[in-house]
Amino acid sequence: MSVTAKEVVDFWRDAGPERWFAKDETFDDMCEMAFGDASDDAVAGGMEDWESDAEGALALVILLDQIPRNTHRDSAKAYAGDERARRVADAAIQNGFDVQVAPELQRFFYIPFMHSESLEDQQRSVELNSASGDADSAKWAQHHHDIIERFGRFPHRNALLGRESTDEEKAFLAEGGFGS
């Protein structure tokens, strides 16, 4: 079953902010049923032709960065598309695609930089999200940046990625970690 970029973008837009960033098994299952195979294909390098226009690039970034976080929640596979998502997002921004989509969806071109464990990418995320005028996105971009600046990585990923947490990271996680 093939999926179109429009179907991905429409599904994601219709899901809305109340589902985008919440842990919700029902929504995770919906993502898996609708786009699990397409997301896996994108992570494996497919759908290159989607990079040529704003809607396709947005859909591809969603399949690479957002859908895996739902379909592979609590697994290292949730991050498998991150590197390609940053490359696709970077090219899309260079082509001005980020400003060609609905304002509420624009942030998804910037989130791959927010999800990066590179301080340089985090700084870019802060700049992009701040410039967008979306105060909520700018707040979360700064929050992510501050964690990477402090630890050089996201401590909440350590167990999933087989990394040993430092005592400081353990204390951070015990105090509420990422959500605090």
Side-chain angles (χ1 to χ4, degrees):
M1 172 174 150
S2 81
V3 171
T4 67
K6 181 177 180 357
E7 289 170 328
V8 174
V9 172
D10 287 350
F11 171 86
W12 201 252
R13 183 187 49 252
D14 293 347
E18 61 280 348
R19 287 201 141 156
W20 291 340
F21 307 115
K23 187 173 185 176
D24 177 342
E25 280 187 41
T26 300
F27 185 59
D28 291 353
D29 291 343
M30 290 169 60
C31 290
E32 175 63 39
M33 287 180 59
F35 304 110
D37 290 342
S39 177
D40 290 345
D41 184 37
V43 169
M47 302 170 173
E48 286 181 341
D49 56 319
W50 285 22
E51 296 181 46
S52 64
D53 63 68
E55 183 177 60
L58 176 61
L60 188 54
V61 168
I62 291 167
L63 288 175
L64 291 164
D65 182 81
Q66 294 296 303
I67 297 294
R69 283 169 165 74
N70 294 93
T71 61
H72 300 295
R73 189 178 298 279
D74 300 324
S75 160
K77 285 182 76 174
Y79 314 112
D82 285 8
E83 185 178 326
R84 183 169 181 218
R86 280 190 304 280
R87 288 194 314 266
V88 172
D90 181 55
I93 293 164
Q94 294 297 321
N95 287 318
F97 294 163
D98 57 323
V99 295
Q100 294 178 29
V101 300
E104 70 273 11
L105 296 175
Q106 189 176 49
R107 71 175 72 181
F108 292 101
F109 282 117
Y110 309 151
I111 288 177
F113 303 102
M114 191 186 302
H115 285 161
S116 173
E117 290 186 323
S118 157
L119 191 55
E120 183 179 321
D121 287 341
Q122 288 298 321
Q123 186 57 44
R124 186 168 187 202
S125 169
V126 169
E127 291 166 4
L128 289 165
N129 281 288
S130 295
S132 76
D134 181 335
D136 189 55
S137 291
K139 175 190 85 164
W140 284 107
Q142 187 64 54
H143 183 68
H144 284 74
H145 173 278
D146 293 349
I147 293 170
I148 295 302
E149 185 173 54
R150 179 174 174 189
F151 299 109
R153 61 189 184 175
F154 291 116
H156 67 278
R157 294 182 185 176
N158 289 349
L160 295 176
L161 299 176
R163 303 186 303 209
E164 189 71 31
S165 292
T166 65
D167 288 342
E168 186 182 5
E169 289 173 331
K170 288 175 188 174
F172 172 75
L173 293 170
E175 293 166 1
F178 182 79
S180 61

